[in-house]
Amino acid sequence: MRLLLVEDEQRMAQALCELLRLEKYEVDHFANGLDGLSAIESGIYDIVILDVMLPGMNGFEIAKQARKKGIKTPILMLTARSELDDKVEGLDSGADDYLTKPFMTGELLARLRALGRRSLGAADGLLSFGDITLDTNTLMLEASGSGLSVRLGEKEYRILEYLIANGGQILTREQLALKIWGFQSETEYNNVEVYMSFTRKKLAFVEAKTKIKAVRGVGYELRCDDV
Ligand code: CA
């Protein structure tokens, strides 16, 4: 699951990044509101953690702009205790939840788990497409026809999770590279192809009828033609 953190206080941001990475989230961090907004608009994030007071553009405005452009990514707004009206304004602006600083890390992680389930549309932790089911907790891939299952590597899991979440839509190699490896990595597009082939092998191993199809010159899509 890929998180975007937009927070200008450096120590806070660093501590949050460390915590979230320990919890196995992929995290990208921006300290400026304008950078944060363009990152949100890439559409590659599962959850956005948004501070209110930011240089460039404040959190309320960022949330409003993102919603105006049709971005549905869940947003958790961080507000200072002194900003009493923030809760109302935060929810009005399009944030899904808010948390008052200072907060307990357990509270933050609980909110993120709830927003993550909502983001994936997997209340029970299971994601399905065609004849395959993906367990978001154990990373197990199962095919209903054969009854076979296999555990996916982390990148393979993220690729399938992203394809399923976009059910049937074509994803470009650029979108996949950003989503899986993030803005701050130097990933070559070749990596996408390498991990795509690993993921296809896992699908073949469980004899899934759902396949990853390459759409020439565009990208990839998940298809299940014969179920
Ligand atoms: Ca701030």
Side-chain angles (χ1 to χ4, degrees):
M1 185 149 294
R2 180 164 290 280
L3 301 193
L4 171 65
L5 172 66
V6 190
E7 164 67 80
D8 60 324
E9 287 158 57
Q10 210 175 359
R11 274 172 54 196
M12 174 83 165
Q14 201 174 347
L16 280 177
C17 283
E18 274 170 30
L19 169 76
L20 295 169
R21 286 177 184 136
L22 273 177
E23 294 292 321
K24 305 289 178 215
Y25 289 105
E26 305 283 324
V27 188
D28 292 330
H29 166 242
F30 292 95
N32 181 287
L34 295 170
D35 296 336
L37 178 61
S38 49
I40 294 174
E41 287 173 355
S42 71
I44 62 167
Y45 295 99
D46 301 294
I47 306 175
V48 177
I49 305 173
L50 193 55
D51 186 31
V52 173
M53 296 306 290
L54 290 164
M57 184 184 282
N58 76 48
F60 299 135
E61 194 55 35
I62 293 172
K64 272 185 209 153
Q65 296 282 334
R67 293 298 183 241
K68 215 184 274 178
K69 295 204 173 165
I71 302 290
K72 297 192 175 69
T73 313
I75 296 174
L76 174 62
M77 196 83 89
L78 301 181
T79 69
R81 195 174 288 281
S82 57
E83 299 157 324
L84 280 178
D85 292 332
D86 281 5
K87 177 186 175 185
V88 175
E89 194 172 349
L91 296 174
D92 277 355
S93 67
D96 298 84
D97 200 357
Y98 77 101
L99 199 54
T100 309
K101 291 180 182 176
F103 48 81
M104 307 286 280
T105 57
E107 182 65 27
L108 172 69
L109 295 174
R111 304 288 182 94
L112 291 177
R113 280 192 294 273
L115 289 175
R117 285 192 294 271
R118 198 191 301 179
S119 177
L120 287 172
D124 52 1
L126 297 176
L127 282 173
S128 298
F129 184 92
D131 65 335
I132 60 170
T133 301
L134 202 53
D135 188 317
T136 62
N137 297 311
T138 61
L139 312 196
M140 293 297 287
L141 166 70
E142 190 180 322
S144 58
S146 65
L148 293 168
S149 62
V150 67
R151 191 174 189 284
L152 299 179
E154 199 185 313
K155 298 272 189 289
E156 300 160 358
Y157 168 81
R158 288 185 194 285
I159 285 172
L160 263 189
E161 180 190 79
Y162 192 30
L163 285 166
I164 291 176
N166 283 277
Q169 282 185 54
I170 299 170
L171 294 172
T172 65
R173 282 201 299 183
E174 189 186 18
Q175 282 176 311
L176 280 154
L178 276 178
K179 175 77 171 183
I180 314 299
W181 286 274
F183 274 100
Q184 281 133 353
S185 85
E186 303 268 310
T187 307
E188 305 272 329
Y189 285 152
N190 291 346
N191 276 8
V192 175
E193 276 167 27
V194 169
Y195 280 94
M196 202 53 84
S197 109
F198 292 159
T199 311
R200 283 180 166 140
K201 279 179 190 150
K202 295 281 174 81
L203 285 168
F205 177 81
V206 297
E207 299 170 14
K209 293 191 176 104
T210 300
K211 309 244 186 281
I212 298 171
K213 307 262 187 198
V215 183
R216 226 189 149 133
V218 185
Y220 299 92
E221 67 177 333
L222 207 52
R223 281 236 298 268
C224 187
D225 296 329
D226 46 353
V227 168

